[in-house]
Every structure is written in structure tokens, then in C-alpha cells.
Amino acid sequence: MVNEGRRGSHKVVPSSDQDGTGAERATGEVPFPSNGTVEVEHIISAKLQLKKKAEHLKADLMRQFDTQVDEFMDSLIEESASLGSSHVSTVFPLSDKEKSKLRHTRPSQGQSKQFVIRRSLLDDLFEVNHIRTIYHMFIALLILFIFSTLVVDFIDEGRLVLEFDLLVYAFGQFPLVVVTWTCMFLSTLVVPYVLLSVWARVYPTSNHRALWTVLAGSLLLLYQGLCLGFLPTYVVLKNGLPPASCFILILEQVRLIMKAHSFIRENVPRVRSLERNKANSLAVLQFTQYIYFLFAPTLIYRDNYPRNPCIRWGYVATKFSQVLGCLFYAYYIFVRLCIPQFRSISMQLFDLRAMVLCVFNSILPGVLVLFLAFFAFLHCWLNAFAEMLRFGDRMFYKDWWNSTSFANYYRTWNVVVHDWLYYYIYRDFLWMTQKRFRAAAMLVVFTVSAVVHEYVLAICFGFFYPVMFCLFMCFGMVFNFVLDDRRKGPIWNVIMWTALFLGQGVLICLYSQEWYAQRFCPIQEPSFLDLLKPRSWTCTPQTNTAVDAH
């Protein structure tokens, strides 16, 4: 019996080889007493270690599984359209004439964006208690902003002051904004549709196709240049609209131009692919489809989109209330964190020390404004309109916060705009150059994006200070190529966030300084050079006129 007990003890020894007991087993010594007490303790300890390893392994496997499923579904959705062209062409051989026709229409047919019914990512994440707690933390911070403002005003004024003078100023002359937007929208509703409809009826049977195409294209460019390009900008500059009102008109100007381009770009190849004897087979463009597209939260035109079965009006009300809450949140950020700082900075000389302090003091408000702009517009506003229109595809953004490269960040931050740039700038450029200049195509995309961003800020702020353009074209391009998709790991995510935070601080600091310098140091009759030179570089306390400004 004793020998059997010893043999049983030896059978347990190999399980502890990883703990360094293999040497004892090799010498023939028995490390456990005959009563088995220490043996049981070792077994329990080994089981606990195995359990911990299993839990870690389970967590790693689940993370890898989620990542692979997301990547697989995204690639499946993006590449499913290729079955309609490449696979069919292998099954059914095409003639040289049909291949040539397919090659000329490929930018709008092959591998085009596919719309499917899916929710926004934050709607899914907010169902998790841990993520929803972060949302509650931001609400608590807003309550503290409001409370601190009331307390400070009570101490300074001796009464509770709840005024929103900054909001009233920012959205000034709002009736003029509504009238101008109505004219812009009605013109976009009529002119592109009428031009395309007339051209589509004439082109298939005409003997002068090139002439009709040039004529229709010239009229469309003239309309976009004058009605959508010049007139809104003229209204903004002529009437001196405040910033928020300017942003509404200028952003709507850019959106309508992109919508009109997509509508024309998607329909022209279909008309050109028709043969003369099949002109009558052209389906008449439905006006209701075009109206729906102008309101739909996408910049890619389709005749039909996946639709949800019903409208959740409670969801719509919640999203609009969150937009309103973000608006007041931004108000308190500027009142408590920005205006006191920049109003005092504008009274000082421009030097390197003040600049460094200004940038780092602007990081917190800059990051908060970034989060608010993302949440208010890309999540709440677009989801509200998507719900009212029963628009099914709610992927307006992806998990940009997990990006380990700036290339991935640019693709996932604003999917709506990225899709337009990718399909109508990047891919069309590659198609025209026969896919020989990919780097040049990417440079064109960055240039277009940088110019439009700088144009919006210059018109809305009323001065030219190309900080955004430089960040896009210099640092944005460098980070896009250096911090590319090959960069993996948490450290690259930290680097991405650090650069993003610093960039937001630079934007808030420099544009705020220039805003106050333009008001504290006005020039009665500025020359062209004065309009290009930043006023904050030369505005000093001696030339300060102490004009009150927001």
C-alpha cells in the first residue's frame, strides 16, 4: 500500500514541472508527504492558474474574433458588387465592344458602394453599461459647467445670470440664412434634374452628342459656379453674418454641390451606355428619388436605398435633443475655457512663450469641441434624418478612436465625405490615368479636402489664416504615409491621439487669437497684403483699440 501511495504521488509530480519540481522528480525524491495535504494544495494552485490562463485566452480569442468578423463583414459588403461584373464576365464571355463599353462605365458600375441596413456604431456601444457610463460622465461635466457659470455670475453680479448672448450673436440674422438656404435648395432641386433629363432624352438619338454634352456640362458648371458658388458667399460677406450662421450656409453650399455632382456622375454613364435603338428603354428619372437623395444622409446617389420598416419618433426626438445639448455644451466650453483666456492673450505681445502656453491651454477645449462636433453631427444629426427618412445604412463613421494610423483615421472619421472623395476624386483620377499615379491621386484628394476646409473657415471667420490648410497638406500628408496601416499596437494609437490633441490645440489657439486680433486691431482700409497677413502677428497693446468683441 505504501508503494502504491508513492507511485500515486509520482504521477502528480509532472504537472508541476513548470514550477521547477522536475529536478526533484529526476532524483527520485518524493516532494509530498504521505497524508497528501501539500499535494492537494498544489493541485488547487495549478487549477487556479489554468483557470486564469483560460480566462485570458478566452478574452484574447473573443477580441480577435470580433475584429476578424468586423473586417470580414466590411470587406464582404465592399466587394460584393464585384460579383456583378468580374464574375459574370468569366461565366458569360463578352465581346470586345462590350468589354470596351464596360471599361468606360466601370467607375460607376464596378465595385461601387453598397448600402445595407446597419446601425451606427455608437447606438450599439451605448447598449453596453460601461460605454454608457462614459456618456453619463460627459453629461455630469456639462452640469458642472452650468453650475460653475451660475456660481461665478452670482459672486460677480450678485444675482443668478442665465444669459446666452454668445449663442444669440453666433446665430444672428437667421431669417436671412433661411431665405438664402431656400433659394439654394430650390435651385439645386430644379436645375441639375432638368439639365440631366433634357440631355438624357436628346443624347441617345442625337447626331451631335458631343455638342449636347458640352452644352449641358457648361450650363451645369455655370449654375454651380454662380448660383451655388458665388451667391451664398456673396450673401455671407456682404451682410457680415456671424460665425454659426456662416457655417450653416457655407456647409450647405458644399453639401449641395457634392450632391449635384454625385447625381450627375452616377446617371451620365447609364445614359451614355444606351444605344440609339434602345433610347426608349431608358427609365425616366424619378423626381421623388432625387428629392429623397437631397435629404438623405449620404453623398452617393442611388435610385433606391435600403429602408427601415417604420419611423421611431422617440428616437428622432432624442437625437435632436442631444444636438441641442451639444450646442449648449459648446457654448459653456467657449464661455468658461476659451473667451477669458483669449481675451487676455489678445492684450499681450505675440511671442513664442505666449504661443506655447496658448496651444497647451487650448488642448482641453479643442478636444471637447472635437468630440461634440463628431457626436452632434455625425451621430445625432445624421441619425435623426436617417430615421425620419427610414434610411437603413447608418454607417456614417467607423471606430476611428481605435485607429493606429492616420490613414485609417481619415477613412473612418467621416465615412460620408470619405466615400464621396474616394469614388469621385480618387477612383476617377485613377481611371483617367489608367491607375498609374496612385500617389498623385492621394495628393489630389488631400488638396481638395484641405482647400475646402480652409475655404469654409476663411469665409466663416472673415479672415485668411491657412492653419487648417497647412495641417492638412503638411502634417496630414506626412502622417498619412508614415503612420500607415502597417502600424499596429497600442503605442501607435497613443501617438495618433497625441497628434490629434495637439492639432486641436493649435487650431483653437491660432484661430481664436486671430479672431480677437481682427477685432481689437482693425484696419480701416486694408491692402491686399494686409488681408493675407495674420493680424495677430502685429496686433500689440499699443495699437489696441479695446473694442468689445465676443
Side-chain angles (χ1 to χ4, degrees), residues 191-204 212 216 271 285:
V191 176
Y193 180 82
V194 171
L195 283 176
L196 181 62
S197 299
V198 173
W199 178 80
R201 287 183 175 87
V202 175
Y203 179 83
W212 279 105
V271 177
L285 298 174

Side-chain angles (χ1 to χ4, degrees), residues 169 236-237 240-244 246-247 250 334 453-465 467-468 507-508 510-516 518-519:
Y169 162 75
V236 167
L237 298 179
L241 295 182
C246 290
F247 273 106
I250 300 302
F334 280 103
H453 277 80
E454 190 57 45
Y455 162 76
V456 172
L457 294 181
I459 298 299
C460 295
F461 289 153
F463 55 80
F464 178 73
Y465 198 10
V467 180
M468 177 69 79
L507 289 176
I508 293 292
L510 296 184
Y511 280 114
S512 297
Q513 276 190 340
E514 185 65 19
W515 172 269
Y516 278 102
Q518 292 281 334
R519 276 131 190 90

Side-chain angles (χ1 to χ4, degrees), residues 345-346 348-352 355 463-467 470 506 509-518 521 523 529-543:
I345 287 178
S346 60
Q348 305 172 3
L349 288 172
F350 183 88
D351 56 11
L352 181 60
M355 176 63 63
F463 55 80
F464 178 73
Y465 198 10
V467 180
C470 294
V506 171
C509 171
L510 296 184
Y511 280 114
S512 297
Q513 276 190 340
E514 185 65 19
W515 172 269
Y516 278 102
Q518 292 281 334
C521 301
I523 299 178
L529 183 60
D530 292 331
L531 295 176
L532 297 180
K533 184 171 61 176
R535 195 76 52 83
S536 58
W537 293 3
T538 57
C539 182
T540 61
Q542 288 77 16
T543 61

Side-chain angles (χ1 to χ4, degrees), residues 100 107-108 167 208 220 233 248 254-255 324 359 387 396 441 524:
S100 177
S108 63
L167 283 179
H208 305 283
L220 180 64
T233 305
I248 293 175
V254 175
R255 184 183 74 92
L324 189 63
V359 169
E387 187 68 28
F396 309 125
Q524 299 300 327

Side-chain angles (χ1 to χ4, degrees), residues 240-414:
L241 295 182
S245 298
C246 290
F247 273 106
I248 293 175
L249 281 184
I250 300 302
L251 290 178
E252 279 296 291
Q253 174 194 45
V254 175
R255 184 183 74 92
L256 292 176
I257 290 176
M258 297 170 76
K259 289 265 190 179
H261 177 83
S262 177
F263 176 68
I264 299 296
R265 174 65 184 79
E266 293 293 336
N267 284 285
V268 165
R270 296 194 301 184
V271 177
R272 295 187 61 186
S273 63
L274 295 174
E275 298 179 2
R276 293 176 184 267
N277 56 356
K278 296 182 180 180
N280 295 329
S281 65
L282 174 63
V284 178
L285 298 174
Q286 296 294 325
F287 189 62
T288 55
Q289 294 174 342
Y290 181 51
I291 296 176
Y292 182 90
F293 169 64
L294 289 181
F295 285 102
T298 180
L299 297 174
I300 307 296
Y301 175 80
R302 294 290 183 269
D303 292 335
N304 297 287
Y305 299 94
R307 307 282 287 274
N308 289 330
C310 61
I311 301 176
R312 299 171 295 171
W313 291 107
Y315 180 86
V316 175
T318 299
K319 294 307 171 186
F320 279 129
S321 63
Q322 289 174 338
V323 172
L324 189 63
C326 290
L327 189 63
F328 284 102
Y329 211 137
Y331 166 79
Y332 283 108
I333 289 175
F334 280 103
V335 168
R336 302 303 304 164
L337 301 179
C338 293
I339 291 180
Q341 176 189 175
F342 294 111
R343 190 173 275 171
S344 61
I345 287 178
S346 60
M347 307 289 289
Q348 305 172 3
L349 288 172
F350 183 88
D351 56 11
L352 181 60
R353 179 181 180 277
M355 176 63 63
V356 172
L357 292 177
C358 173
V359 169
F360 283 98
N361 289 333
S362 303
I363 288 178
L364 176 60
V367 171
L368 291 177
V369 170
L370 175 71
F371 290 158
L372 289 175
F374 160 75
F375 183 74
F377 180 72
L378 290 176
H379 180 70
C380 297
W381 186 264
L382 295 183
N383 269 293
F385 272 87
E387 187 68 28
M388 289 189 295
L389 296 171
R390 297 193 294 118
F391 187 83
D393 197 337
R394 311 289 176 86
M395 194 182 68
F396 309 125
Y397 54 88
K398 296 181 182 179
D399 58 336
W400 57 270
W401 47 86
N402 291 328
S403 298
T404 56
S405 67
F406 271 82
N408 183 71
Y409 168 75
Y410 292 139
R411 291 193 301 266
T412 56
W413 159 258
N414 189 341

